[in-house]
């Protein structure tokens, strides 16, 4: 105790870790909130600055539009002058005196407008310039050549402008009221006057506003360094789309550059806002925030210290017990000592938990629990918390598709893991590995019976797990599902499944079998007609007919039947016994055959597919036994004569009546006798013989198909081709190419 009581709390390593953990618990959310709030403050300030700048830029843009409107209004006034329209439409009839009068009218309007420096009127019909100050000029002698070049370059445009060294020149097609302009109005405005007018219209606000023309050249008269910075900014925006407001550096000063395009003329307005304004406002708000954060840190530290003190005492007692005396362990080892003990205990529990679960489930299913009322509690003790009132049992039976897979000892664990994980995705379930190839699962359900929705879930789970089992694990799965009941009747549910597994021979290889489906009281009707047909086909040694009888039997009774499984399995035993009994009635000695057939070995079949193979192999054995008792050669005289007659006259058009007349018997009797002896009709025999002969001709002669079909008894080529393809799977031409 001395080692723990003489040291202050903050000197103990475990206490410091607790204090740090509680403080970090407070610190991290606080820092996250501060970070988010700081970002919000910063973005809000930028938004406010951008909104203020946007208002100023909008005013400048509006002022530019106002000046352009004045130009449009001036051009409209000129368009309404009768002399102006007469000069533009018929400049040849316009005298010098008329030009003088028109110039004076235009000059008076220019003088009254202080913004316009000079005005030119260009007439496109005679290529002359009339100026407000200098007089009348031909295009060849006009002094302002750049203006003439612009008019010739933009002869299809109605309005444009040109930024020159001292002027901003605007061009407007005249008259504006005509569908096709006949001239051009040219207005020169001094650049300084234009910019000062815009500044004055903006109420002299102290913003650093730059105008940039459509060629990204700065118009505003600021320093070269500033103009170059604006030019670089505009060049960057042209190549890479960017935000309306960007940070730029000019002469060791930082600004926010807010840009906006002017509608209609391609100009751009750039407003520079000092970055220091943003920093001052941000510092003011962040200072207040830091004071609040500091207060929160101090409060969090006090709360963390209080929690650490309160939580340390139980740990101190645990450490004293683990160290046997308070003096044998250093403070630095306290946490590792407790952690090690807990980890060791948890590892032991985790290692044993699967084994405990598996043993408990196995004991419940095998009825090794003496007190059934404690089953739910025992399940909770091993970590299986089932919350629903009803329980059922599902047994998965797997069958290896290859013998080498069946001998793999690890395969059962892999299959169990796959089936367990799949089943848990659909219903609450826990399971264990049972004997042989069986996996048992307890499922917890709200429903008291297997309704359609619940069945659909189980069938979905089965489809998923059986797909993985077949494609990746080379096994097929069957699911046997018990009826639903209480936890005390789980062993009864498992016994119900065990009884069903005694009749695996009549269950589908890949299927979900619900026990309640086979508890019906449907009246079982024994397949007497199928039995007679099967006995007749076996005694007449007709393998094809016997196989069809077995297929019909499985389709009607086994694949989709809801009859009790024990009745279905008993039906198979009785049916096979009836076949053997018929042989006894006919006087055959079946002692050896009885041992080979051994009907009761059907219990070894794992599913109805194997049962089908079992029956067909036994029926084949019986037919082979009967065939061995008699000579299957053609001994009937009538049949021998029939064959000889058909082989002699196959090239001619013969009928069954012709053959019967030649033999001297009725055609019906001859047909039945031939079919019974040869296993095929006379027409089938004749067709096969003709096809065989045609193949010989196709391989040994180069005759045409028409000649060959005539040679083997066919009247037309199409019939010959159709029969040849039916029996050989290819046309005569394809056959000839293949040899």
């Amino acid at each position: 105790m001395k080692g723990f009581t003489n040291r202050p709390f903050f000197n103990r390593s475990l206490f410091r870790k607790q204090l740090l953990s509680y403080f970090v618990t407070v610190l991290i959310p606080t820092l996250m909130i501060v970070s988010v709030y700081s970002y919000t403050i910063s973005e809000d300030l930028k938004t406010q600055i951008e909104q203020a700048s946007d208002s100023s830029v909008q005013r400048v843009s509006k002022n530019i539009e106002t000046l352009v409107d004045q130009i449009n209004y001036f051009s409209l006034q000129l368009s309404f002058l009768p002399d102006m329209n007469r000069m533009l439409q018929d400049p040849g009839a316009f005298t010098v005196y008329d030009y003088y009068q028109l110039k004076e009218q235009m000059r008076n309007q220019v003088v009254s407008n202080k913004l316009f420096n000079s005005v030119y009127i260009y007439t496109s019909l005679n290529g002359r310039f009339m100026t407000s100050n200098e007089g009348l000029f031909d295009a060849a002698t006009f002094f302002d050549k750049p203006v003439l070049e612009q008019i010739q370059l933009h002869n299809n445009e109605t309005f444009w402008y040109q930024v020159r060294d001292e002027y901003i020149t605007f061009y407007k097609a005249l008259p504006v009221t005509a569908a096709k302009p006949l001239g051009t109005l040219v207005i020169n405005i001094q650049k300084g006057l234009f910019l000062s007018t815009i500044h004055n219209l903006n109420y002299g606000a102290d913003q650093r506003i730059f105008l940039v023309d459509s060629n990204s050249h700065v118009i505003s008269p600021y320093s070269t360094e500033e103009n170059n910075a604006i030019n670089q900014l505009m060049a960057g925006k042209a190549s890479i789309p960017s935000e309306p407001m960007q940070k730029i550096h000019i002469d060791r000063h930082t600004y926010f550059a807010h840009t906006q395009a002017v509608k209609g003329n391609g100009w751009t307005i750039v407003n520079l806002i000092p970055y220091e304004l943003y920093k001052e406002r941000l510092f003011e708000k962040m200072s207040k925030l830091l004071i609040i954060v500091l207060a929160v840190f101090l409060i969090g530290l006090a709360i963390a210290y209080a929690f650490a003190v309160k939580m340390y005492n139980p740990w101190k007692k645990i450490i004293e017990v683990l160290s046997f005396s308070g003096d044998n362990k250093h403070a630095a080892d306290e946490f590792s000592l407790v952690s090690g003990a807990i980890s060791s205990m948890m590892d032991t529990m985790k290692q044993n938990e699967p084994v405990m679960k598996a043993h408990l489930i196995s004991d419940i299913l095998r009825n090794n629990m003496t007190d059934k009322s404690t089953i739910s509690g025992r399940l909770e003790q091993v970590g299986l918390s089932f919350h629903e009132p009803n329980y059922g049992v599902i047994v998965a039976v797997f069958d290896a598709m290859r013998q080498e897979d069946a001998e793999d000892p690890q395969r059962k664990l892999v299959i169990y893991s796959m089936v367990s994980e799949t089943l848990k995705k659909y219903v609450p379930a826990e399971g264990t590995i049972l004997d042989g190839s069986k996996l048992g699962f307890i499922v917890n359900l709200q429903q008291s019976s297997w309704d359609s929705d619940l069945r659909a879930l189980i069938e979905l789970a089965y489809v998923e797990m059986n797909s993985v089992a077949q494609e990746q694990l080379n096994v097929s799965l069957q699911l046997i599902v018990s009826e639903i009941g209480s936890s005390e009747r789980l062993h009864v549910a498992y016994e119900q499944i065990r009884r069903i597994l005694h009749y695996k021979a009549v269950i589908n290889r890949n299927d979900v079998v619900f026990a309640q489906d086979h508890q019906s009281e449907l009246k079982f009707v024994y397949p007497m007609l199928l039995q007679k047909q099967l006995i007749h086909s076996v005694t007449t040694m007709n393998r094809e007919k016997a196989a069809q009888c077995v297929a019909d039997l499985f389709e009607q009774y086994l694949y989709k039947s809801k009859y009790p499984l024990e009745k279905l399995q008993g039906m198979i035993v009785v049916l096979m016994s009836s076949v053997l009994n018929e042989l006894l009635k006919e006087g055959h000695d079946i002692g050896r055959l009885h041992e080979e057939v051994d009907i009761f070995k059907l219990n070894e079949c794992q599913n109805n597919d194997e049962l089908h193979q079992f029956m067909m192999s036994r029926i084949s054995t019986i037919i082979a036994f009967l065939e061995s008792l008699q000579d299957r050669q053609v001994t009937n005289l009538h049949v021998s004569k029939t064959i000889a007659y058909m082989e002699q006259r196959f090239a001619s058009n013969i009928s069954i009546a012709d053959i019967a007349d030649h033999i001297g018997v009725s055609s019906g009797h001859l047909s039945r006798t031939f079919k019974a002896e040869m296993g095929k009709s006379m027409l089938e025999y004749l067709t096969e013989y003709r096809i065989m002969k045609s193949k010989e001709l196709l391989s040994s002669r180069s005759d045409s198909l028409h000649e060959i079909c005539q040679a083997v008894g066919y009247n037309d080529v199409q019939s010959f081709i159709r029969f040849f393809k039916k029996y050989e799977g290819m046309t005569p031409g394809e056959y000839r190419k293949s040899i």
Side-chain angles (χ1 to χ4, degrees), residues 103 106-107 117-120 129-137 142-144 167 188:
K103 181 179 79 69
M106 184 175 67
R107 179 177 176 80
N117 183 71
S118 60
V119 176
Y120 310 147
F129 281 89
M130 184 180 70
T131 68
S132 61
N133 297 327
E134 290 77 10
L136 187 65
F137 297 88
F142 185 59
F143 60 90
D144 200 347
Y167 299 97
N188 294 311

Side-chain angles (χ1 to χ4, degrees), residues 358-369 372 375-376 378-379 442 487 489-492 494:
H359 278 295
L360 177 60
I361 293 173
S362 179
D363 288 341
I364 292 172
L365 297 181
R366 290 190 170 97
N367 197 22
N368 292 334
M369 298 282 293
K372 306 294 189 300
I375 289 178
S376 297
R378 292 286 300 276
L379 289 171
I442 294 175
S487 60
R489 293 185 58 80
L490 282 170
H491 68 287
V492 177
Y494 178 62

Side-chain angles (χ1 to χ4, degrees), residues 512-532:
V512 182
V513 179
F514 291 89
Q516 69 184 40
D517 292 344
H518 296 277
Q519 303 299 322
S520 64
E521 297 299 329
L522 290 175
K523 182 179 179 181
F524 181 76
V525 180
Y526 185 80
M528 186 59 68
L529 180 60
L530 278 174
Q531 175 182 302
K532 291 180 179 179

Side-chain angles (χ1 to χ4, degrees), residues 638-657:
H638 291 166
V639 173
S640 300
K641 288 182 178 180
T642 299
I643 293 174
Y645 184 81
M646 287 190 294
E647 292 180 354
Q648 289 173 3
R649 299 175 177 261
F650 72 92
S652 60
N653 187 11
I654 59 176
S655 65
I656 295 176

Side-chain angles (χ1 to χ4, degrees), residues 290-308:
L290 289 176
I291 294 173
I292 297 173
V293 171
L294 181 60
V296 172
F297 279 178
L298 294 176
I299 295 171
L301 180 60
I303 295 173
Y305 187 87
F307 269 100

Side-chain angles (χ1 to χ4, degrees), residues 57 76 111 333 361 445 480 524 558 607 629 640 656:
V57 169
L76 185 61
V111 170
D333 297 327
I361 293 173
L445 306 166
I480 316 298
F524 181 76
L558 293 179
N607 48 67
L629 299 179
S640 300
I656 295 176

